[in-house]
Amino acid sequence: MPVYSMTGYASAQHSTATTAPEGESRTQPVTQLGLEVRSVNSRFLDLTFRLPEDLRQFEPVLRELLGSKLKRGKVEVRASVETTSATNIPDPTPKLLQKLNATQDSIRAWLPTANPLSVADVIRLAAAEQGTSRDWSADVMPLAEKVLKELLSARQREGARLATMLLGHIAQLRTLAEQAGPLVPKLVEQQRLRFMERWKEAMALTEGATLPEAAQDRALTEATAFAIRIDVAEEITRLNSHLDELERLIKKGGEIGKRLDFLIQELHREANTLGSKSAALELTHISVDMKVLIEQMREQVQNIE
């Protein structure tokens, strides 16, 4: 399965001409339905709809459609309905003009001081009449399915880019872990020799050059305790285990965002422990480089579904 990002955008439009009543000859207005979907990262699926009044009735079916394909993300759905004609001015029907005239006469009979209808008022009411006469039942869902398909494609492309980046960082972390492994035995041997030399110097100052066996055992014990304190073999083993699981999940794909986020936290924990046990500048540098890579991975994993 592919890896999906939660970030994506898609939009589509559908245009249709409004049919004039039989027997009337007038400029046919063109009505355009527009639909766009924006998606960003979120812990859960959060759907927001911004629909005009003519399309409010479609929110439940749109919510069901999106919920069946999207599992996580903050998703905003916007729809618009625009009506235009060759002159960009709606053409009022004789029936509407007659109705407006009768309504105006009735109102002014009761309210003589009421202002008469202006041309702008008539155009606005004509546009409203044309907008409400359109039934979008046959157009909204096919358009929504088209936009959703494009959104999924966009999220898949972004997810593939994130997966490639994460696999590259995993390879770099493996290299750093390999570099850290041989450093510890070398440090242990250096510290053991340093303990022995210091005990020899101390004993030479007090009892001559001969080093008692008990003192030598004490030096070896201290060296052993030091070796235990700086041993990072367990951390490196766990770190490699987490990297193996990360790589497996990324190649498997699907809904892996939350599991990747947990593993990133565990990687960060091991890198911190590696740094706290560091007894050499080289190991400190490796720990810092690991944490930089892990932090970059954390930021990108937040966008994976």
Side-chain angles (χ1 to χ4, degrees):
M1 293 179 66
V3 174
Y4 287 97
S5 168
M6 286 185 281
T7 303
Y9 173 82
S11 65
Q13 292 77 38
H14 174 75
S15 299
T16 182
T18 302
T19 304
E22 186 177 354
E24 293 187 13
S25 177
R26 58 187 176 94
T27 303
Q28 297 300 306
V30 176
T31 303
Q32 179 172 275
L33 170 64
L35 191 64
E36 67 175 24
V37 183
R38 302 173 185 268
S39 173
V40 295
N41 62 308
S42 176
R43 292 185 62 189
F44 308 101
L45 181 61
D46 181 9
L47 299 176
T48 303
F49 293 87
R50 303 189 184 281
L51 308 176
E53 288 299 326
D54 294 351
L55 304 178
R56 290 285 184 189
Q57 58 182 314
F58 298 104
E59 180 174 334
V61 290
L62 289 173
R63 185 178 295 275
E64 182 179 357
L65 175 65
L66 293 172
S68 66
K69 298 295 184 181
L70 306 177
K71 304 305 177 184
R72 293 178 64 200
K74 182 176 177 60
V75 182
E76 181 180 11
V77 181
R78 288 179 177 269
S80 61
V81 176
E82 297 180 357
T83 302
T84 59
S85 66
T87 60
N88 290 325
I89 298 176
D91 189 4
T93 64
K95 181 178 179 180
L96 174 64
L97 293 174
Q98 183 179 7
K99 181 178 179 181
L100 291 176
N101 188 53
T103 302
Q104 179 176 247
D105 290 342
S106 176
I107 292 175
R108 298 193 71 182
W110 288 92
L111 302 171
T113 59
N115 293 327
L117 286 170
S118 66
V119 174
D121 293 332
V122 174
I123 292 174
R124 177 174 53 80
L125 292 170
E129 180 196 39
Q130 292 172 2
T132 56
S133 63
R134 175 66 184 173
D135 181 8
W136 293 105
S137 300
D139 303 308
V140 169
M141 294 312 295
L143 189 64
E145 291 173 355
K146 178 182 177 181
V147 172
L148 179 57
K149 184 177 179 181
E150 292 180 3
L151 177 67
L152 290 173
S153 296
R155 286 168 59 131
Q156 182 177 343
R157 290 192 299 271
E158 178 66 11
R161 187 188 69 80
L162 293 177
T164 301
M165 186 278 293
L166 290 173
L167 290 174
H169 279 38
I170 289 174
Q172 294 181 58
L173 287 170
R174 290 190 191 280
T175 300
L176 291 172
E178 290 174 1
Q179 295 173 1
L183 290 176
V184 175
K186 187 185 300 184
L187 290 171
V188 170
E189 180 60 22
Q190 291 175 354
Q191 190 65 16
R192 188 185 70 81
L193 294 175
R194 190 177 297 117
F195 272 120
M196 295 299 296
E197 290 172 0
R198 289 180 180 178
W199 276 97
K200 288 178 181 180
E201 291 173 359
M203 296 306 297
L205 291 175
T206 57
E207 300 179 9
T210 304
L211 184 63
E213 184 177 348
Q216 185 176 2
D217 291 342
R218 177 65 183 274
L220 292 175
T221 301
E222 292 293 336
T224 301
F226 172 78
I228 294 173
R229 287 198 305 273
I230 69 167
D231 184 19
V232 294
E234 186 177 349
E235 284 73 18
I236 293 176
T237 299
R238 285 199 297 264
L239 190 141
N240 282 321
S241 175
H242 296 328
L243 292 177
D244 289 342
E245 182 64 11
L246 277 168
E247 187 171 357
R248 185 189 70 80
L249 288 173
I250 292 170
K251 291 180 177 179
K252 175 186 175 184
E255 300 170 37
I256 58 174
K258 292 183 179 180
R259 282 179 286 178
L260 292 181
D261 188 50
F262 171 77
L263 288 170
I264 291 296
Q265 294 179 31
E266 294 302 305
L267 278 180
H268 199 272
R269 189 196 313 276
E270 302 304 334
N272 274 334
T273 305
L274 196 69
S276 66
K277 287 187 174 183
S278 174
L281 189 59
E282 296 93 331
L283 201 56
T284 300
H285 287 163
I286 288 175
S287 174
V288 171
D289 290 343
M290 281 184 172
K291 286 190 280 189
V292 170
L293 288 170
I294 293 169
E295 189 59 34
Q296 292 173 352
M297 293 174 70
R298 185 204 301 275
E299 292 177 1
Q300 299 305 323
V301 162
Q302 299 298 322
N303 292 318
I304 294 180
E305 186 176 57

